[in-house]
Amino acid sequence: LLVRIALLHTLLAVIAIVTASIALYAGLTEADAARKQQEAAVWPMLQMAINDYDVETQELVFRITARNAGIGPARISGFRVTVGGEAQSDWNEALTTLAGSHEGVLRSYFSGRVISPGEDVELVVARGEIARAALKKVYAGPSRLEWEVCYCSVFDKCWISNSEGQSWLKAATLVKECPDYGKDQFLD
């Protein structure tokens, strides 16, 4: 009789462990799904592009625009701009390197900024001779303009996007953390 009771207790204990394991697995799977759903609900997607023509004024323009095409805010954690492989400190230096001048150039700060979903930010706008001179050099050759931007979501998931191909459709790369650009950090 005691052996049967001990065997019954052992069987019940094994059933309880199996049931608890299944419940734990289900709970962890549900928690993981909920976490992924929360992250997806605030996913930023930063896209940057150069525009070389203003449709409204029908004139040549050198404009770099950043757009958050995602569904959550994008916190800009790092930004680097190079011209001909040389790091630039701000738009004044970049436009002077590209076009010989930065007079009359409109610029907006970008580093450290938070861009809302659907928001467009004009980073730099040059017109006239500066635009013409910059556009001659910006796309190709030894004076090619390139950038790399690292941005994060509200859950500190971070991505790096760069100008390779300068396409609005270029996918960003998920990274563990944003790099420290140090002295190469763009200040605008």
Side-chain angles (χ1 to χ4, degrees):
L1 181 65
L2 289 176
V3 172
R4 284 187 180 169
I5 292 175
L7 192 56
L8 183 60
H9 282 171
T10 302
L11 182 61
L12 289 174
V14 169
I15 291 171
I17 289 172
V18 169
T19 303
S21 297
I22 291 170
L24 177 63
Y25 175 76
L28 291 175
T29 302
E30 180 66 27
D32 184 54
R35 180 187 54 77
K36 287 178 181 175
Q37 186 176 17
Q38 280 182 325
E39 288 175 356
V42 296
W43 173 62
M45 184 174 151
L46 193 66
Q47 300 171 327
M48 292 177 58
I50 296 175
N51 184 305
D52 57 11
Y53 187 74
D54 189 331
V55 176
E56 290 178 17
T57 63
Q58 297 185 356
E59 66 180 1
L60 199 63
V61 66
F62 172 76
R63 176 184 292 132
I64 298 179
T65 305
R67 168 185 285 170
N68 182 356
I71 54 176
R75 180 176 37 88
I76 309 304
S77 295
F79 187 41
R80 179 177 62 194
V81 173
T82 61
V83 175
E86 295 293 320
Q88 305 294 297
S89 61
D90 57 24
W91 288 120
N92 288 346
E93 182 179 4
L95 266 294
T96 300
T97 302
L98 283 169
S101 175
H102 64 270
E103 296 300 316
V105 173
L106 302 174
R107 58 198 170 278
S108 177
Y109 78 93
F110 191 54
S111 297
R113 186 177 194 145
V114 175
I115 301 176
S116 300
E119 181 179 3
D120 289 339
V121 177
E122 286 186 343
L123 302 181
V124 63
V125 180
R127 298 183 184 281
E129 286 306 312
I130 294 175
R132 192 174 320 316
L135 289 168
K136 283 182 182 177
K137 295 180 179 180
V138 75
Y139 292 118
S143 297
R144 181 177 170 86
L145 174 75
E146 297 180 300
W147 61 75
E148 181 174 281
V149 59
C150 188
Y151 61 96
C152 302
S153 73
V154 296
F155 289 118
D156 288 326
K157 285 243 181 192
C158 300
W159 295 265
I160 288 182
S161 181
N162 61 41
S163 57
E164 186 177 308
Q166 298 183 359
S167 169
W168 283 88
L169 303 175
K170 173 114 175 47
T173 303
L174 183 65
V175 294
K176 289 187 185 240
E177 62 182 27
C178 287
D180 179 3
Y181 293 119
K183 65 179 181 55
D184 291 344
Q185 173 71 27
F186 200 70
L187 302 177
D188 274 346

